[in-house]
Amino acid sequence: MPGMVDTHIHAPQYSFAGTRVDLPLLQWLTTYTFPTEAKYKDSDFAEEVYTRVVRRTLKNGTTTACYFATIHTDTSLLLAEIIDKFGQRAFVGKVCMDMNDSVPQYKETTEDSVQETERFVQELLEKKYPRVQPVITPRFGPSCTEDLLCALGNLAQARDLHVQSHISENEEELKLVENMFPAYQNYTELYDKNKLLTSKTVMAHACYLSEEELKLFSLRGAAISHCPNSNFSLRSGVLNVQKVLKNNVKLGLGTDIAGGYSASMLDAIRKAMMASNGLQVNKVNETGLTLEEAFQLATLGGSQALGLDDVIGNFEVGKEFDALLINTKASDSPFDLFSADNFEDTLQKFLYLGDDRNISEVYVAGKQVVPFSSSV
């Protein structure tokens, strides 16, 4: 089957994935996330966690990932190097934030943030990694001054770069943005007016976007990364996928480690189904996602969200071979097949019940990357 595309994942947070999802977003950032990310000045620590997150995601069938790193340029470049070594396809972003009153040791000056982002982009492009690209990464509205957002938008435009950030994840964040940036009509306009909402942009969450904002996303060709595990785990909200698709907005799925506790895109598919089912149960939508549609969001949808659908996402002739070899009869498979099961039954069982034990081989651009070679 086609390789899966994780459109939103925080590599440094992998060190505490599976723990600490007991606070709402803003308190969670202050208590756990910012203090953890501040440790990534240390290249030994960064190397261990980054190596493990790339191995883990590849083993779980993520052939392409869109990563947030931290504010530290050198270890963000190290993440890109590790990804290249393992053969994963990826975007990597050095995080930009010049405001952080809650954990003041984890922020940059506006000038440093811009200069270091320019250095990060330049040095990463000079490496000429075949499948690892830089992405401009303002953390989110509350972490950035208008000057920083403006400078990053200009940089993205000047160098024709991809952009990633967060938008409308929870209601407290939304109110904070309204208070901080009263001159803007809404959160989407904050990014749009600063040239950060483009056809190369992917924004995570988007639980509370208005119809007007979704129309602007569609007009700009910007994409949304749906991260249902994180939205449930931090009790942030529920993205109405039907509404997003109705507005012709590009949509992929994300694990959002570590707000989302699982590094597996199979989990993202399952949680996307639950989110959709929940909206139906609560009479918000008359219809929900099918499993086939959720699977498409994890593959072709993700490739569209990242502007890679001419290269990956399915097995159309001429695309690169990003693929998973699934063994539904692996000796330690977590599910059973019966003689009456047809192909569709088998696929559904894998999507709902399977895991990395069923993923026997992983290919990126035709090269086998799992099982791992002895050189990595």
Side-chain angles (χ1 to χ4, degrees):
M1 62 176 252
M4 292 183 283
V5 180
D6 188 347
T7 56
H8 187 71
I9 174 170
H10 293 264
Q13 295 173 21
Y14 182 64
S15 65
F16 67 95
T19 69
R20 307 184 202 170
V21 283
D22 55 345
L23 293 173
L25 174 68
L26 299 182
Q27 294 74 15
W28 177 84
L29 287 170
T30 302
T31 309
Y32 307 129
T33 307
F34 294 153
T36 299
E37 290 190 15
K39 296 178 186 171
Y40 283 78
K41 268 202 304 277
D42 175 351
S43 61
D44 291 339
F45 177 65
E47 184 171 16
E48 183 190 1
V49 180
Y50 288 165
T51 299
R52 290 192 184 194
V53 71
V54 174
R55 287 178 68 99
R56 180 67 62 186
T57 52
L58 274 173
K59 272 178 60 157
N60 278 284
T62 300
T63 49
T64 299
C66 194
Y67 288 105
F68 276 58
T70 64
I71 65 175
H72 311 103
T73 306
D74 292 334
T75 52
S76 300
L77 288 164
L78 176 63
L79 172 59
E81 184 186 327
I82 290 165
I83 293 163
D84 175 67
K85 185 175 76 176
F86 279 95
Q88 194 173 43
R89 191 186 298 273
F91 290 94
V92 177
K94 176 209 130 359
V95 172
C96 298
M97 44 194 291
D98 61 349
M99 284 167 64
N100 190 0
D101 293 341
S102 58
V103 185
Q105 71 272 25
Y106 189 59
K107 68 173 180 183
E108 316 156 283
T109 66
T110 310
E111 192 181 357
D112 279 352
S113 189
V114 176
Q115 282 179 356
E116 285 299 294
T117 300
E118 286 173 344
R119 176 167 83 87
F120 172 77
V121 169
Q122 190 60 37
E123 291 191 20
L124 181 44
L125 291 173
E126 281 170 2
K127 299 281 187 191
K128 293 194 164 48
Y129 296 136
R131 281 170 284 280
V132 185
Q133 300 179 55
V135 51
I136 298 297
T137 307
R139 185 177 207 109
F140 69 154
S143 291
C144 301
T145 59
E146 213 170 334
D147 286 349
L148 179 56
L149 292 173
C150 180
L152 294 174
N154 287 335
L155 177 59
Q157 185 182 51
R159 304 206 59 163
D160 192 28
L161 296 166
H162 286 255
V163 174
Q164 65 176 348
S165 193
H166 303 87
I167 196 167
S168 294
E169 183 174 352
N170 92 349
E171 290 176 307
E172 195 183 355
E173 169 212 14
L174 211 50
K175 287 194 182 74
L176 192 56
V177 169
E178 276 172 23
N179 293 335
M180 286 174 64
F181 302 100
Y184 294 89
Q185 277 186 304
N186 52 50
Y187 206 160
T188 304
E189 189 177 274
L190 174 67
Y191 289 125
D192 185 53
K193 288 273 169 75
N194 287 294
K195 303 179 187 170
L196 290 164
L197 196 75
T198 72
S199 61
K200 289 188 158 187
T201 295
V202 59
M203 289 282 171
H205 306 296
C207 298
Y208 299 97
L209 293 185
S210 64
E211 287 284 338
E212 183 190 357
E213 288 176 282
L214 285 169
K215 284 187 171 63
L216 187 53
F217 262 77
S218 179
L219 187 67
R220 297 288 184 257
I224 289 170
S225 172
H226 176 31
C227 305
N229 184 318
S230 168
N231 294 339
F232 286 137
S233 296
L234 300 181
R235 297 161 298 286
S236 299
V238 184
L239 177 69
N240 189 332
V241 167
Q242 308 296 82
K243 196 164 111 176
V244 172
L245 296 176
K246 220 173 276 166
N247 279 283
N248 291 317
V249 176
K250 296 182 295 195
L251 184 67
L253 297 182
T255 58
D256 192 26
I257 289 288
Y261 54 74
S262 171
S264 169
M265 285 298 294
L266 291 170
D267 176 83
I269 290 171
R270 294 161 196 167
K271 297 297 189 292
M273 291 301 296
M274 292 299 130
S276 173
N277 293 348
L279 291 173
Q280 257 189 292
V281 168
N282 289 305
K283 308 283 188 287
V284 176
N285 290 340
E286 284 179 26
T287 58
L289 277 179
T290 64
L291 186 59
E292 289 78 7
E293 287 169 330
F295 174 65
Q296 184 171 23
L297 291 178
T299 52
L300 185 63
S303 72
Q304 290 164 342
L306 300 181
L308 293 173
D309 48 309
D310 56 337
V311 185
I312 57 161
N314 58 19
F315 294 143
E316 276 179 19
V317 175
K319 290 194 181 185
E320 295 189 12
F321 188 69
D322 285 17
L324 315 179
L325 180 64
I326 308 301
N327 180 3
T328 54
K329 295 175 180 165
S331 59
D332 53 352
S333 176
F335 60 92
D336 294 296
L337 293 177
F338 296 91
S339 55
D341 289 339
N342 60 24
F343 173 74
E344 194 172 327
D345 297 326
T346 306
L347 177 61
Q348 289 198 6
K349 283 188 174 185
F350 170 67
L351 293 178
Y352 273 131
L353 300 168
D355 61 26
D356 58 326
R357 288 171 290 185
N358 301 109
I359 301 173
S360 55
E361 294 174 11
V362 178
Y363 294 83
V364 176
K367 177 175 181 277
Q368 188 174 324
V369 294
V370 174
F372 302 115
S373 76
S374 54
S375 63
V376 295

